[in-house]
Amino acid sequence: MSSEIKRDNYLQKIINKKENGLIKVITGIRRCGKSYLLFNLFCDYLIKSGVDKNHIITIALDDDLYLEYRDPLKLSKYIREKIIDNGMYYILINEIQYAISKKELKNSEEIKLYNVLNGLLRLPNVDIYVTGSNSKMLTKDVLTAFRGRSDEARVYPLSFKDYYDFVGGDTILAYENYALYGGMPLVLNKNNDNDKVDYLKSLFTEVYFKDIIERYDINLPNILEELTNDLCSSIGLLTNASKIANTLNSVKKIRISSVTIASYLEYLTESFLFNNAKRYDIKGKKYFEYPSKYYSIDIGLRNARLNFRQQEETHIMENIIYNELLNRGYLVDVGVIEIVKIKEGHKDKKQYEIDFVVNKGNKKYYIQSALNVSNSDKLETEIRPLKKTNDFFKKILIVKTPMKAWTDEDGILHLGLYEFLLNENSLEL
């Protein structure tokens, strides 16, 4: 068991961006480890590299000690007063969204914070790093204010490899714990299961919901909670705003418009609680507007929100694979392929799903997720859509059954779940 949670991949990404003339924007859900990455790991790296501590200016806007510096002009004054010589200064600001007013979100003509940051960046001896827990700070209007001077690094909760590197021991047992409690870093500091459960539950009520309600002036917080519950219950299932609104109306007897649901869905994804995977027509090479799928950013958060009642192993595994792919920097969609069969002289069209269409640069992979393929019928069901793509992109079947990777006669790579999660190069086997 390691004594420290390592985020080597993320640390190296930040190091690679050092002094590149851009504002480094480190995004991700609150409590996923952004602050630790920047204020501990990166600071340690700078100091070991010979940087004087007085040349590292840290400001935590989520700390009441720095409350006044949520005013961008006061923030600017505070930083400039600390720059007293020509040496390089590293400015580290945590939870920058607290310095963005609601007016700034709606009016791109007056964005004080970004004017301040751009002004600081013009100094020849300043390197700026900020973290943020809300993607609204990176919308098109706000990016315009940066004038192409930002560089984003997205941080996710611990991957299974991060988790396993810390806990060690039996791989299967480690995975089962990870699939139950997820990868929020502070979970690893909790001594017993009850403490882990309480912590994960409190993140929703004490952190995430409060943030969203305050930031977006939510006047129907009960709807936000019901919507969150619905998304947690339906990970890996197709849904849309209209369907959710109808469900709340018929099952919960809550009358709500699909327009409101659509807005709340946007808030939940902007706050990084969920990711939206759109459906992609593989042969038609186009996206479907709806329905789509939502996956939880962390499976432990999802389980805690449902009081650990719904443990659908298939969907949990699918969510973990999806998150791992995002963590590795892939773009991930849900694949749809239409298969036509001739029955009694008539065309019978049927849509099949490929769990993930994965892209990075010029590489593309089709991935199916399955708990097991213990018999030939089950195996054929899983690989049939892969065989029908009729292209030369790599096709992969990930199964939970421990196995040595192998490729079948159709060129499909059969890959064990643990091998996939622990080997970052596993898709290239």
Side-chain angles (χ1 to χ4, degrees):
M1 182 172 180
S2 174
S3 60
E4 180 183 58
I5 298 174
K6 296 181 179 180
R7 310 301 298 268
D8 292 343
N9 287 346
Y10 290 123
L11 177 59
Q12 191 58 52
K13 286 180 181 179
I14 296 175
I15 292 171
N16 291 343
K17 299 175 187 293
K18 180 170 164 281
E19 298 176 27
N20 66 356
L22 301 173
I23 300 168
K24 274 64 71 175
V25 185
I26 302 164
T27 61
I29 190 173
R30 290 196 65 184
R31 308 293 169 84
C32 74
K34 302 185 306 298
S35 304
Y36 183 80
L37 174 65
L38 194 60
F39 283 59
N40 294 78
L41 299 180
F42 185 60
C43 276
D44 287 347
Y45 164 80
L46 290 175
I47 292 169
K48 289 177 181 177
S49 300
V51 176
D52 189 302
K53 289 183 179 180
N54 292 326
H55 280 234
I56 304 173
I57 303 173
T58 60
I59 304 161
L61 294 181
D62 57 340
D63 188 326
D64 58 5
L65 293 176
Y66 294 93
L67 196 61
E68 64 178 300
Y69 302 121
R70 292 183 181 184
D71 180 330
L73 298 181
K74 291 182 179 179
L75 177 67
S76 177
K77 185 174 183 293
Y78 174 78
I79 293 171
R80 288 175 185 271
E81 286 177 348
K82 286 187 170 292
I83 300 173
I84 58 175
D85 58 40
N86 294 325
M88 179 63 70
Y89 282 81
Y90 299 89
I91 316 299
L92 280 53
I93 307 174
N94 197 40
E95 302 296 2
I96 196 70
Q97 73 272 6
Y98 284 114
I100 306 175
S101 70
K102 290 167 186 172
K103 180 180 180 182
E104 288 171 344
L105 289 176
K106 298 175 182 177
N107 184 352
S108 62
E109 295 177 0
E110 185 184 356
I111 304 181
K112 292 181 181 177
L113 171 67
Y114 293 92
N115 291 337
V116 165
L117 294 179
N118 279 326
L120 288 168
L121 200 61
R122 292 189 183 98
L123 299 176
N125 60 332
V126 165
D127 195 23
I128 301 175
Y129 302 77
V130 303
T131 78
S133 300
N134 192 293
S135 66
K136 200 69 175 179
M137 58 181 287
L138 293 173
T139 57
K140 187 179 294 184
D141 288 342
V142 175
L143 280 174
T144 299
F146 265 131
R147 297 179 180 87
R149 305 190 75 181
S150 66
D151 191 357
E152 183 189 6
R154 176 79 182 274
V155 176
Y156 294 86
L158 301 178
S159 68
F160 177 62
K161 186 178 188 306
D162 293 331
Y163 179 91
Y164 184 71
D165 286 346
F166 182 82
V167 302
D170 181 75
T171 307
I172 296 176
L173 179 60
Y175 174 81
E176 295 305 323
N177 282 320
Y178 180 80
L180 191 62
Y181 296 117
M184 298 302 287
L186 287 182
V187 167
L188 293 174
N189 292 338
K190 305 303 176 183
N191 294 323
N192 58 63
D193 291 347
N194 289 335
D195 289 345
K196 293 176 183 179
V197 170
D198 291 343
Y199 171 69
L200 290 170
K201 286 184 176 180
S202 72
L203 285 179
F204 279 100
T205 56
E206 300 302 320
V207 180
Y208 303 140
F209 286 155
K210 284 186 177 180
D211 277 356
I212 295 172
I213 290 168
E214 176 185 340
R215 185 135 192 90
Y216 299 103
D217 289 329
I218 299 291
N219 55 13
L220 296 170
N222 63 313
I223 299 299
L224 181 69
E225 294 195 25
E226 290 291 347
L227 174 57
T228 301
N229 294 341
D230 187 87
L231 292 181
C232 287
S233 295
S234 58
I235 55 170
L237 300 177
L238 294 172
T239 191
N240 57 45
S242 296
K243 181 179 179 181
I244 294 172
N246 291 336
T247 300
L248 291 176
N249 184 28
S250 60
V251 177
K252 300 285 186 177
K253 307 303 179 186
I254 299 173
R255 296 188 64 82
I256 190 71
S257 73
S258 60
V259 174
T260 299
I261 293 296
S263 295
Y264 284 17
L265 283 172
E266 188 175 349
Y267 302 156
L268 288 170
T269 54
E270 284 175 350
S271 299
F272 301 121
L273 273 169
F274 296 91
N275 282 303
N276 181 213
K278 296 188 178 299
R279 297 165 74 228
Y280 179 72
D281 181 350
I282 292 172
K283 291 190 174 181
K285 301 187 185 308
K286 62 182 180 180
Y287 285 95
F288 294 94
E289 185 175 354
Y290 56 82
S292 57
K293 292 186 178 185
Y294 288 85
Y295 291 99
S296 177
I297 191 67
D298 179 76
I299 204 65
L301 287 173
R302 177 263 180 192
N303 293 338
R305 186 62 198 169
L306 298 176
N307 292 313
F308 296 88
R309 290 191 304 266
Q310 299 180 27
Q311 295 299 302
E312 303 97 337
E313 200 173 358
T314 300
H315 292 148
I316 286 174
M317 174 179 162
E318 186 179 319
N319 201 143
I320 289 173
I321 291 173
Y322 176 81
N323 288 346
E324 177 64 27
L325 291 168
L326 292 184
N327 192 37
R328 295 181 188 180
Y330 293 106
L331 300 175
V332 188
D333 300 310
V334 177
V336 178
I337 186 165
E338 188 174 80
I339 298 177
V340 180
K341 294 182 179 179
I342 305 297
K343 283 188 176 181
E344 299 178 354
H346 298 282
K347 288 185 178 180
D348 180 29
K349 297 181 180 180
K350 188 174 182 179
Q351 286 189 342
Y352 290 83
E353 186 176 285
I354 293 177
D355 290 326
F356 304 120
V357 179
V358 181
N359 293 274
K360 182 190 284 187
N362 62 352
K363 293 185 177 181
K364 177 185 284 189
Y365 309 91
Y366 300 118
I367 298 177
Q368 289 286 64
S369 165
L371 279 182
N372 64 73
V373 285
S374 55
N375 59 66
S376 57
D377 290 340
K378 173 65 175 173
L379 175 61
E380 181 59 28
T381 298
E382 294 294 343
I383 66 175
R384 182 185 298 117
L386 297 176
K387 293 194 293 185
K388 294 295 184 178
T389 60
N390 295 327
D391 60 32
F392 298 101
F393 294 113
K394 193 164 187 176
K395 302 161 182 66
I396 302 166
L397 175 64
I398 299 177
V399 296
K400 192 178 180 185
T401 307
M403 62 158 62
K404 184 176 177 60
W406 64 283
T407 302
D408 66 21
E409 60 186 9
D410 294 303
I412 298 171
L413 173 65
H414 295 242
L415 186 61
L417 176 63
Y418 310 125
E419 171 76 10
F420 165 71
L421 293 174
L422 293 174
N423 179 0
E424 295 183 352
N425 298 313
S426 55
L427 299 188
E428 302 300 327
L429 292 176

